[in-house]
Amino acid sequence: MASIVSFLLSFLLLYKYAALFIISFLAAIIVPLPVTEVMLGIGAFVGQGYFNFWGSLAAAQIANVLGDLADYAFARRYGSGIVHKVRLDRSRFFAKIEQEMQTHARSTIFITRFAGELGPLVNFLSGAADIPIKKFLIFDFAGNLAYYVGILLIGLWAGNYWENFSELMSLLVSIFVVLVIIKWLWHIYRRFKNNRKERNRIAV
Amino acid sequence: MNQTDRHIKIVLILLVLILLLLVMTFIKEYEGVKKLETLSPHETFANILNRRSPFTANDVQLIQGWMTFDYVNKIFGLPSNDLETSFDITDASYPRETLARYAERHHMNTAVFIDEVQNAVREFLTKAQ
């Protein structure tokens, strides 16, 4: 088992829900922690009677939503300044990403709750693209809830063999990430193509 | 086709190849996990929620350094002072300390200490049966 996972599991066994809250919050903000493996372990601990299912779900869910909101608020406040400073506002590609975010905000926010490090990235994009906070919160909450219920149940079901599922779940998350990126790029590619067709039509 | 289009197409092709590789690896891992015959694929939510995974003497090899004494006591149903007595532990941190940390602080080889803990737990469970 990777040493970071061992460390986090020890931290969880010693400080339980407080540790779970901290880990989930940090992972939601941007820190690349192996949350999937950790949550599988928590699911197993629930089955072993060491954690409570609803307590674990509440701690992880609240921490994650707060972390996501922190990213969103930061980007909402400072996003346009940062984008201008790094000259991303001159990039047509970035403009397409923002358009994509605005057109498919609901599905993007919901699906990226299952997609590891894409989650925090979408939080920042949501803030920078001025997605309404209510819309962001609803789909962020729903996506996180679906993810945490699912992963806890898988850990609970796997029981003492939960470590055998870690690799499988990490692969599943990676598949999700790649699918989301493919979807984004494909839509952006279509936007570029349609814009060019429109420009050509107008020129004619 | 302009340069941006070309770049996006190349990246998309690469991503699809990566996706195929990931899916193939996933299927291979899944086949490995399916061999765990003790897992039942069809359980209701209520059954899963109430599922309890009692540890037996055959599970002592699952004990690892990241586990605390407290956790080991709980999952194997040991009396709280069993390991304390077996290893003559007088530390105030017991049982809220990991096995690896305890071994490190007492300058013991972690793997050897864990082995000893596994033997102690196995002995207790065998006697209790």
Side-chain angles (χ1 to χ4, degrees):
Chain A
M1 181 185 288
S3 57
I4 178 75
V5 177
S6 301
F7 171 78
L8 292 174
L9 290 172
S10 298
F11 186 49
L12 281 162
L13 291 181
L14 286 167
Y15 302 105
K16 295 182 95 174
Y17 304 104
L20 177 55
F21 187 95
I22 291 167
I23 291 167
S24 301
F25 182 78
L26 290 174
I29 286 181
I30 196 86
V31 180
L33 297 174
V35 171
T36 303
E37 281 164 304
V38 163
M39 292 309 300
L40 273 178
I42 301 261
F45 297 161
V46 168
Q48 292 154 7
Y50 203 75
F51 270 75
N52 174 271
F53 180 89
W54 301 109
S56 305
L57 180 62
Q61 176 74 1
I62 293 168
N64 214 292
V65 170
L66 285 176
D68 291 343
L69 261 179
D71 284 347
Y72 171 89
F74 177 85
R76 193 81 188 249
R77 176 77 177 83
Y78 300 106
S80 49
I82 293 170
V83 163
H84 179 70
K85 195 145 193 164
V86 299
R87 298 184 186 178
L88 272 176
D89 49 355
R90 297 184 192 186
S91 158
R92 286 192 306 148
F93 186 78
F94 185 75
K96 293 284 177 271
I97 291 178
E98 274 194 315
Q99 276 176 7
E100 180 61 26
M101 195 60 225
Q102 273 154 357
T103 315
H104 297 108
R106 293 186 187 103
S107 58
T108 303
I109 293 165
F110 184 90
I111 285 166
T112 51
R113 302 308 99 182
F114 298 79
E117 287 310 308
L118 277 187
L121 177 65
V122 165
N123 298 340
F124 285 118
L125 278 173
S126 300
D130 286 332
I131 301 298
I133 188 168
K134 194 175 166 187
K135 189 188 275 190
F136 175 79
L137 255 181
I138 289 170
F139 291 94
D140 178 60
F141 188 91
N144 279 322
L145 190 64
Y147 171 74
Y148 280 118
V149 167
I151 199 82
L152 280 174
L153 286 179
I154 291 170
L156 188 51
W157 173 68
N160 302 346
Y161 298 96
W162 68 270
E163 286 180 62
N164 298 77
F165 278 76
S166 291
E167 187 61 35
L168 202 67
M169 294 314 300
S170 297
L171 280 167
L172 198 59
V173 168
S174 303
I175 288 170
F176 243 95
V177 168
V178 173
L179 278 172
V180 168
I181 297 173
I182 287 173
K183 175 183 171 285
W184 275 353
L185 277 180
W186 179 249
H187 284 174
I188 289 168
Y189 172 72
R190 292 276 301 273
R191 279 181 198 278
F192 270 120
K193 212 170 169 184
N194 291 341
N195 283 358
R196 211 174 321 108
K197 270 188 196 163
E198 192 58 31
R199 278 201 303 272
N200 290 343
R201 191 185 66 80
I202 291 167
V204 163
Chain B
M1 186 191 303
N2 74 19
Q3 211 171 18
T4 310
D5 280 358
R6 204 176 301 124
H7 289 157
I8 293 177
K9 274 197 168 173
I10 290 170
V11 171
L12 276 170
I13 290 168
L14 281 171
L15 284 172
V16 168
L17 290 172
I18 291 170
L19 182 67
L20 285 171
L21 187 64
L22 285 171
V23 169
M24 279 163 45
T25 313
F26 179 85
I27 291 169
K28 191 178 156 203
E29 281 290 326
Y30 177 70
E31 291 300 322
V33 160
K34 252 174 64 172
K35 288 174 187 161
L36 297 168
E37 290 166 351
T38 54
L39 295 177
S40 162
H42 307 294
E43 284 193 59
T44 62
F45 173 76
N47 281 352
I48 292 171
L49 208 53
N50 290 319
R51 181 186 252 261
R52 289 294 176 261
S53 312
F55 281 73
T56 65
N58 294 329
D59 296 316
V60 297
Q61 78 282 359
L62 294 174
I63 295 174
Q64 296 181 54
W66 56 263
M67 296 180 180
T68 60
F69 288 99
D70 185 30
Y71 176 69
V72 172
N73 289 341
K74 171 89 183 175
I75 61 174
F76 285 99
L78 305 175
S80 59
N81 62 349
D82 186 67
L83 290 175
E84 191 177 18
T85 311
S86 300
F87 293 96
D88 203 24
I89 298 171
T90 54
D91 302 44
S93 54
Y94 180 89
R96 285 173 48 81
E97 186 171 28
T98 64
L99 304 182
R101 180 84 182 109
Y102 179 82
E104 192 190 314
R105 284 199 308 108
H106 289 82
H107 309 292
M108 291 189 270
N109 180 294
T110 306
V112 169
F113 179 64
I114 289 168
D115 216 36
E116 288 172 4
V117 170
Q118 290 174 354
N119 289 336
V121 173
R122 189 183 291 115
E123 205 179 298
F124 173 81
L125 292 174
T126 312
K127 275 186 199 162
Q129 279 172 0

Short mmCIF file of all heavy atoms in Angstrom, two decimals, chain A residues 16-17 20 39 42-43 45-60 152 156, chain B residues 49 52:
data_model
loop_
_atom_site.label_atom_id
_atom_site.label_comp_id
_atom_site.label_asym_id
_atom_site.label_seq_id
_atom_site.Cartn_x
_atom_site.Cartn_y
_atom_site.Cartn_z
N LYS A 16 -10.59 9.87 13.54
CA LYS A 16 -11.91 9.54 12.97
C LYS A 16 -12.56 10.65 12.14
O LYS A 16 -12.00 11.04 11.11
CB LYS A 16 -12.83 9.06 14.09
CG LYS A 16 -12.34 7.74 14.69
CD LYS A 16 -13.23 7.18 15.76
CE LYS A 16 -14.19 6.18 15.18
NZ LYS A 16 -15.00 5.49 16.18
N TYR A 17 -13.74 11.15 12.57
CA TYR A 17 -14.50 12.06 11.71
C TYR A 17 -13.80 13.40 11.50
O TYR A 17 -13.96 14.02 10.44
CB TYR A 17 -15.92 12.26 12.27
CG TYR A 17 -16.64 10.96 12.46
CD1 TYR A 17 -16.80 10.40 13.72
CD2 TYR A 17 -17.13 10.26 11.36
CE1 TYR A 17 -17.43 9.17 13.89
CE2 TYR A 17 -17.76 9.03 11.52
CZ TYR A 17 -17.90 8.50 12.78
OH TYR A 17 -18.51 7.28 12.95
N LEU A 20 -11.42 12.72 8.78
CA LEU A 20 -12.16 12.57 7.52
C LEU A 20 -12.56 13.93 6.97
O LEU A 20 -12.45 14.19 5.76
CB LEU A 20 -13.40 11.69 7.76
CG LEU A 20 -14.34 11.46 6.58
CD1 LEU A 20 -13.60 10.89 5.38
CD2 LEU A 20 -15.47 10.52 6.99
N MET A 39 -11.82 6.56 1.06
CA MET A 39 -13.26 6.36 1.28
C MET A 39 -13.64 4.88 1.21
O MET A 39 -14.54 4.42 1.90
CB MET A 39 -14.08 7.17 0.27
CG MET A 39 -13.99 8.67 0.46
SD MET A 39 -14.31 9.26 2.14
CE MET A 39 -15.97 8.70 2.42
N ILE A 42 -12.85 3.62 4.52
CA ILE A 42 -13.87 4.05 5.49
C ILE A 42 -15.10 3.15 5.37
O ILE A 42 -15.70 2.75 6.37
CB ILE A 42 -14.28 5.51 5.26
CG1 ILE A 42 -13.09 6.44 5.37
CG2 ILE A 42 -15.41 5.91 6.21
CD1 ILE A 42 -12.93 7.13 6.67
N GLY A 43 -15.49 2.83 4.12
CA GLY A 43 -16.62 1.93 3.91
C GLY A 43 -16.38 0.60 4.61
O GLY A 43 -17.27 0.06 5.27
N PHE A 45 -14.34 0.13 7.16
CA PHE A 45 -14.35 0.39 8.61
C PHE A 45 -15.79 0.45 9.14
O PHE A 45 -16.05 0.08 10.28
CB PHE A 45 -13.64 1.71 8.94
CG PHE A 45 -12.19 1.75 8.59
CD1 PHE A 45 -11.53 2.96 8.46
CD2 PHE A 45 -11.47 0.59 8.37
CE1 PHE A 45 -10.17 3.02 8.12
CE2 PHE A 45 -10.11 0.63 8.03
CZ PHE A 45 -9.46 1.85 7.91
N VAL A 46 -16.70 0.95 8.31
CA VAL A 46 -18.12 0.98 8.70
C VAL A 46 -18.60 -0.45 8.91
O VAL A 46 -19.26 -0.76 9.90
CB VAL A 46 -18.98 1.70 7.64
CG1 VAL A 46 -20.46 1.49 7.89
CG2 VAL A 46 -18.67 3.18 7.60
N GLY A 47 -18.25 -1.32 7.97
CA GLY A 47 -18.64 -2.73 8.07
C GLY A 47 -18.03 -3.40 9.29
O GLY A 47 -18.60 -4.33 9.84
N GLN A 48 -16.87 -2.91 9.70
CA GLN A 48 -16.19 -3.51 10.86
C GLN A 48 -16.66 -2.90 12.15
O GLN A 48 -16.21 -3.28 13.24
CB GLN A 48 -14.67 -3.32 10.70
CG GLN A 48 -14.08 -4.12 9.57
CD GLN A 48 -12.81 -3.51 9.00
OE1 GLN A 48 -12.27 -2.54 9.52
NE2 GLN A 48 -12.33 -4.08 7.90
N GLY A 49 -17.56 -1.91 12.06
CA GLY A 49 -18.12 -1.28 13.25
C GLY A 49 -17.25 -0.18 13.83
O GLY A 49 -17.52 0.32 14.92
N TYR A 50 -16.22 0.23 13.06
CA TYR A 50 -15.32 1.25 13.63
C TYR A 50 -15.75 2.67 13.27
O TYR A 50 -15.37 3.62 13.95
CB TYR A 50 -13.88 0.99 13.13
CG TYR A 50 -12.83 1.58 14.02
CD1 TYR A 50 -12.51 1.00 15.25
CD2 TYR A 50 -12.14 2.72 13.64
CE1 TYR A 50 -11.55 1.56 16.07
CE2 TYR A 50 -11.18 3.28 14.46
CZ TYR A 50 -10.88 2.70 15.66
OH TYR A 50 -9.92 3.25 16.48
N PHE A 51 -16.51 2.81 12.19
CA PHE A 51 -17.06 4.10 11.77
C PHE A 51 -18.57 3.91 11.58
O PHE A 51 -19.03 2.79 11.34
CB PHE A 51 -16.45 4.54 10.43
CG PHE A 51 -15.21 5.37 10.54
CD1 PHE A 51 -14.01 4.79 10.88
CD2 PHE A 51 -15.23 6.73 10.27
CE1 PHE A 51 -12.84 5.55 10.96
CE2 PHE A 51 -14.06 7.49 10.35
CZ PHE A 51 -12.87 6.90 10.69
N ASN A 52 -19.29 5.04 11.61
CA ASN A 52 -20.73 5.02 11.34
C ASN A 52 -20.96 5.51 9.91
O ASN A 52 -20.34 6.48 9.47
CB ASN A 52 -21.44 5.95 12.34
CG ASN A 52 -22.90 6.09 12.03
OD1 ASN A 52 -23.31 6.96 11.26
ND2 ASN A 52 -23.71 5.22 12.61
N PHE A 53 -21.85 4.83 9.16
CA PHE A 53 -22.07 5.17 7.75
C PHE A 53 -22.54 6.62 7.61
O PHE A 53 -21.97 7.40 6.82
CB PHE A 53 -23.11 4.22 7.15
CG PHE A 53 -23.42 4.50 5.70
CD1 PHE A 53 -22.67 3.89 4.71
CD2 PHE A 53 -24.43 5.36 5.33
CE1 PHE A 53 -22.93 4.15 3.37
CE2 PHE A 53 -24.70 5.63 4.00
CZ PHE A 53 -23.95 5.02 3.01
N TRP A 54 -23.57 7.00 8.38
CA TRP A 54 -24.18 8.32 8.20
C TRP A 54 -23.25 9.43 8.71
O TRP A 54 -23.16 10.49 8.10
CB TRP A 54 -25.54 8.38 8.89
CG TRP A 54 -26.47 7.33 8.34
CD1 TRP A 54 -26.90 6.21 8.99
CD2 TRP A 54 -27.04 7.26 7.03
NE1 TRP A 54 -27.70 5.45 8.16
CE2 TRP A 54 -27.80 6.07 6.94
CE3 TRP A 54 -26.98 8.09 5.90
CZ2 TRP A 54 -28.51 5.70 5.80
CZ3 TRP A 54 -27.68 7.71 4.76
CH2 TRP A 54 -28.43 6.54 4.72
N GLY A 55 -22.52 9.13 9.77
CA GLY A 55 -21.54 10.09 10.28
C GLY A 55 -20.43 10.34 9.26
O GLY A 55 -20.02 11.48 9.02
N SER A 56 -19.96 9.26 8.66
CA SER A 56 -18.90 9.36 7.65
C SER A 56 -19.39 10.13 6.44
O SER A 56 -18.69 11.00 5.91
CB SER A 56 -18.45 7.97 7.20
OG SER A 56 -18.06 7.20 8.31
N LEU A 57 -20.60 9.81 6.01
CA LEU A 57 -21.17 10.48 4.83
C LEU A 57 -21.33 11.97 5.10
O LEU A 57 -20.94 12.80 4.27
CB LEU A 57 -22.52 9.86 4.49
CG LEU A 57 -23.27 10.44 3.29
CD1 LEU A 57 -22.46 10.24 2.00
CD2 LEU A 57 -24.64 9.79 3.14
N ALA A 58 -21.84 12.30 6.28
CA ALA A 58 -22.06 13.71 6.62
C ALA A 58 -20.73 14.48 6.67
O ALA A 58 -20.61 15.56 6.08
CB ALA A 58 -22.77 13.83 7.97
N ALA A 59 -19.72 13.90 7.34
CA ALA A 59 -18.42 14.58 7.47
C ALA A 59 -17.79 14.81 6.09
O ALA A 59 -17.33 15.91 5.78
CB ALA A 59 -17.48 13.75 8.34
N ALA A 60 -17.78 13.77 5.26
CA ALA A 60 -17.15 13.88 3.94
C ALA A 60 -17.93 14.85 3.05
O ALA A 60 -17.34 15.67 2.34
CB ALA A 60 -17.08 12.51 3.28
N LEU A 152 -18.76 4.64 -0.47
CA LEU A 152 -18.89 4.04 0.87
C LEU A 152 -19.55 2.67 0.77
O LEU A 152 -19.13 1.72 1.45
CB LEU A 152 -19.70 4.95 1.79
CG LEU A 152 -18.94 6.14 2.39
CD1 LEU A 152 -19.90 7.04 3.17
CD2 LEU A 152 -17.82 5.68 3.32
N LEU A 156 -18.06 -0.85 1.88
CA LEU A 156 -18.82 -1.65 2.84
C LEU A 156 -19.06 -3.05 2.28
O LEU A 156 -18.90 -4.06 2.96
CB LEU A 156 -20.14 -0.93 3.10
CG LEU A 156 -21.08 -1.42 4.20
CD1 LEU A 156 -20.34 -1.59 5.51
CD2 LEU A 156 -22.23 -0.47 4.36
N LEU B 49 -25.82 -2.14 3.92
CA LEU B 49 -25.65 -1.22 5.03
C LEU B 49 -25.47 -1.95 6.35
O LEU B 49 -24.79 -1.49 7.26
CB LEU B 49 -26.88 -0.31 5.10
CG LEU B 49 -26.68 1.09 5.69
CD1 LEU B 49 -25.55 1.80 4.99
CD2 LEU B 49 -27.96 1.88 5.52
N ARG B 52 -21.75 -6.84 8.13
CA ARG B 52 -20.68 -6.79 9.10
C ARG B 52 -19.61 -7.79 8.66
O ARG B 52 -19.92 -8.87 8.18
CB ARG B 52 -21.18 -7.15 10.51
CG ARG B 52 -22.06 -6.06 11.11
CD ARG B 52 -21.27 -4.79 11.39
NE ARG B 52 -22.11 -3.70 11.88
CZ ARG B 52 -22.57 -2.72 11.12
NH1 ARG B 52 -22.31 -2.68 9.83
NH2 ARG B 52 -23.32 -1.77 11.63
#
